[in-house]
Amino acid sequence: MASPQQALPAPTIDLLLNLMDTRPESILASLTQHSHLASACDAHGYSLVHASVSYGQLAVLRELIQKYQVNVNLLDEDGETPLFAAETAEVAKCLVEDLGADRNVRNAEGKTAEDKFLEEEGEAHEVYQYLKSLRTGHQAVSAGVVESEGVHPPPPLPNGVKVELGTMTEDAVGDVPDPEIRRRIDELAARDDFQTEEVQAQLRDLISEVVIGIGSEDTGRSVRRRVD
């Protein structure tokens, strides 16, 4: 009579780490029976999350974080999160934007992942470029005004006034009550830093002066704000 089949030994974290590159599906299968290994680390604090990031195994990474609730900022012995192990921008983006990794964590040497990639891989590395773009800010268009770090769309002008940049002609000036105001508008429009908040605030105040001046002088005409 055949002896009963002996139970297979339980997997270890070291075994699962060695399977990450070639047999990620075996890792997921093992975790269904040994879920405690999802957040386990080897002798150097290296975890399945670190390994899945390093090898770009996004299916394993997502399951570890979303199903087994492993800390996406788990630290190894060097104080480095899995983000430090990313080798492609795709993996780094998944960590930061999809799984909520903190890109500002500093390792034992006081460096962020961005700092380390710059130092060890150089500016051309795609992960460094991605992390840098998060810090400097993507350009976005809002209400027809380009918005980047430190530059925001100006508040709306008073009374529905529309300002178009360009050189002012005699006909265009029309009812501007004061040549000095005309000069100041031309001066602001010609500045290289026209989109900064400081210059936009000056323009807004100047236009307010024009509107108030016209309204006070033209008392015989009813002026109503345009409603689109």
Side-chain angles (χ1 to χ4, degrees):
M1 182 176 179
S3 60
Q5 183 179 6
Q6 292 183 344
L8 294 175
T12 63
I13 184 60
D14 294 293
L15 172 62
L16 295 188
L17 287 171
N18 287 328
L19 295 176
M20 186 64 73
D21 184 26
T22 58
R23 298 177 60 188
E25 69 284 349
S26 297
I27 296 175
L28 296 178
S30 295
L31 290 177
T32 61
Q33 299 296 322
H34 307 281
S35 59
H36 65 284
L37 293 176
S39 57
C41 301
D42 69 4
H44 302 286
Y46 196 65
S47 69
L48 290 175
V49 182
H50 289 85
S52 63
V53 168
S54 179
Y55 287 106
Q57 300 288 4
L58 295 183
V60 178
L61 173 62
R62 291 180 184 278
E63 188 141 338
L64 288 168
I65 305 303
Q66 296 173 339
K67 179 177 179 179
Y68 294 100
Q69 301 297 304
V70 181
N71 182 4
V72 72
N73 297 312
L74 193 63
L75 302 179
D76 64 13
E77 66 177 2
D78 296 317
E80 295 183 348
T81 67
L83 182 59
F84 284 77
E87 296 188 4
T88 67
E90 178 188 12
V91 174
K93 183 177 180 180
C94 176
L95 276 168
V96 176
E97 299 185 28
D98 297 344
L99 301 176
D102 185 353
R103 59 188 175 85
N104 296 312
V105 173
R106 296 182 179 274
N107 63 14
E109 297 179 347
K111 299 173 183 176
T112 63
E114 181 186 342
D115 296 334
K116 186 172 181 180
F117 277 107
L118 176 60
E119 179 180 287
E120 297 184 359
E121 306 294 341
E123 291 187 1
H125 196 277
E126 61 182 280
V127 177
Y128 169 74
Q129 287 294 325
Y130 167 69
L131 295 174
K132 178 184 176 182
S133 73
L134 296 179
R135 174 173 54 81
T136 58
H138 298 288
Q139 285 192 335
V141 177
S142 175
V145 179
V146 176
E147 180 179 2
S148 57
E149 183 183 28
V151 181
H152 307 284
L157 295 172
N159 298 323
V161 173
K162 179 180 179 182
V163 176
E164 295 183 0
L165 298 183
T167 302
M168 296 183 69
T169 64
E170 291 294 333
D171 292 338
V173 174
D175 293 328
V176 174
D178 189 340
E180 174 64 15
I181 291 181
R182 173 188 172 184
R183 184 192 65 77
R184 289 162 60 190
I185 291 177
D186 284 337
E187 185 179 87
L188 288 175
R191 290 179 58 163
D192 293 336
D193 58 345
F194 179 78
Q195 294 291 353
T196 63
E197 290 188 11
E198 179 183 358
V199 178
Q200 290 293 316
Q202 294 179 36
L203 178 61
R204 186 176 67 253
D205 292 341
L206 188 56
I207 296 299
S208 296
E209 291 182 31
V210 175
V211 173
I212 293 172
I214 293 175
S216 61
E217 293 177 5
D218 191 8
T219 55
R221 179 166 55 94
S222 175
V223 179
R224 185 173 61 182
R225 178 176 181 177
R226 177 181 176 182
V227 179
D228 294 324

